[in-house]
């Protein structure tokens, strides 16, 4: 398995501001992923983050809104920029690990935008 | 792209009964199908997965079946317990797609004591 720590665990923010979410893994991984889970909904992949290269964004998500950093093999950040109430969601970090490439998730960051 | 449909959206059972959740997928190239359990306030946890070279897999009270021809797979939980109450998500991906999981809509399972 993998130990994944996300900070903050929750936050309440004002519209127009930005929040940076941190994800720390207990050992080196090649690929880290960021998902969004809107209230009562399923998980949607925002982007894939590889160390040393720009993140790859899924359709409907753009770098200006969700900039991602991946400075090393155990850490990544996701910033939610210029927030609006529609950005209120759970943001989840995940990593792929092991010979079977199983994906493990952090506990998530619960974001409310007023 | 891949589309995963999951049913039912809610499922209520009595303790000791069985629960079955079904998913269908659209992309015949998908070959990896994990199931995740998400408890309140927590991230999803993998409970079982199956790959396309296998038709069924069991782990104690949990089993998953896969029908590649029909493009559907199911989660079976036997002898349910109150602690099985959670949201369950199915997902699909191609193993070579570097972790790009497409999730179903989720099933809220409630097990009544």
């Amino acid at each position: 398995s993998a130990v994944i720590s996300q900070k903050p665990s929750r936050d309440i923010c004002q519209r127009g501001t930005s929040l940076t979410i941190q994800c720390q893994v207990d050992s080196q991984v090649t690929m880290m992923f960021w998902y969004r889970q809107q209230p009562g909904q399923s998980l949607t992949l925002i982007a894939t983050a590889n160390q040393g290269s720009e993140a790859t964004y899924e359709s409907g998500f753009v770098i200006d809104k969700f900039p991602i950093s991946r400075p090393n093999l155990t850490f990544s950040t996701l910033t939610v920029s210029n927030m609006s109430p529609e950005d209120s969601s759970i943001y989840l970090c995940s990593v792929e690990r092991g010979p079977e490439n199983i994906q493990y998730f952090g506990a998530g960051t619960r974001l409310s935008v007023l | 792209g891949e589309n995963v449909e999951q049913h039912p959206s809610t499922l209520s059972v009595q303790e000791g009964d069985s629960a079955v959740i079904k998913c269908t997928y659209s992309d015949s190239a998908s070959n990896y199908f994990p199931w995740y359990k998400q408890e309140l306030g927590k991230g999803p946890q993998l409970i079982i997965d199956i790959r396309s070279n296998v038709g069924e897999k069991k782990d104690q009270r949990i089993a998953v079946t896969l029908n590649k021809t029909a493009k559907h797979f199911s989660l079976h939980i036997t002898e349910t317990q109150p602690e099985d109450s959670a949201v369950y998500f199915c997902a699909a991906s191609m193993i070579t797609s570097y972790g790009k999981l497409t999730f179903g809509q989720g099933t809220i399972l409630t097990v009544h004591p």
Side-chain angles (χ1 to χ4, degrees):
Chain A
S1 64
V3 177
I4 304 170
S5 301
Q6 272 189 245
K7 290 181 181 179
S9 59
R10 60 179 65 243
D11 208 340
I12 301 173
C13 300
Q14 297 296 318
R15 70 170 67 212
T17 63
S18 298
L19 176 72
T20 295
I21 302 167
Q22 299 179 2
C23 180
Q24 179 77 51
V25 190
D26 62 339
S27 63
Q28 295 181 346
V29 292
T30 302
M31 315 203 54
M32 296 178 78
F33 310 92
W34 289 98
Y35 287 82
R36 182 176 71 183
Q37 186 176 21
Q38 293 176 301
Q41 303 295 315
S42 187
L43 288 79
T44 302
L45 182 63
I46 297 172
T48 301
N50 287 340
Q51 192 264 338
S53 63
E54 279 199 10
T56 302
Y57 289 82
E58 296 299 308
S59 176
F61 298 96
V62 295
I63 188 170
D64 289 347
K65 176 67 175 177
F66 298 101
I68 289 172
S69 78
R70 182 79 200 273
N72 58 54
L73 291 173
T74 62
F75 187 78
S76 178
T77 66
L78 169 77
T79 299
V80 187
S81 303
N82 188 25
M83 289 183 286
S84 67
E86 292 71 35
D87 294 319
S88 298
S89 293
I90 301 172
Y91 292 88
L92 295 147
C93 167
S94 75
V95 303
E96 212 171 59
R97 174 167 290 177
E100 296 193 324
N101 293 329
I102 290 174
Q103 200 162 138
Y104 299 95
F105 286 83
T109 295
R110 283 145 185 81
L111 171 63
S112 295
V113 184
L114 305 178
Chain B
E2 176 67 280
N3 183 53
V4 178
E5 297 286 334
Q6 182 173 345
H7 299 281
S9 56
T10 61
L11 180 58
S12 184
V13 300
Q14 288 297 127
E15 182 176 2
D17 287 350
S18 295
V20 179
I21 303 171
K22 299 183 179 182
C23 289
T24 60
Y25 61 98
S26 61
D27 191 342
S28 57
S30 290
N31 51 15
Y32 175 61
F33 308 93
W35 286 88
Y36 286 86
K37 174 184 180 182
Q38 186 175 30
E39 296 175 303
L40 200 61
K42 297 184 179 180
Q45 288 206 308
L46 181 75
I47 55 171
I48 195 167
D49 59 8
I50 192 166
R51 294 167 196 268
S52 60
N53 58 344
V54 175
E56 182 175 0
K57 184 176 178 181
K58 285 182 96 170
D59 183 3
Q60 299 182 342
R61 297 187 296 110
I62 295 173
V64 57
T65 59
L66 171 65
N67 183 328
K68 282 225 77 179
T69 303
K71 290 190 282 189
H72 68 70
F73 56 112
S74 300
L75 177 71
H76 304 251
I77 305 174
T78 59
E79 300 173 23
T80 54
Q81 301 166 2
E83 49 266 39
D84 293 329
S85 297
V87 182
Y88 290 80
F89 291 98
C90 63
S93 82
M94 289 183 284
I95 293 174
T96 55
S97 67
Y98 298 106
K100 187 173 177 178
L101 292 173
T102 301
F103 284 84
Q105 296 86 344
T107 296
I108 302 172
L109 173 64
T110 304
V111 181
H112 299 282

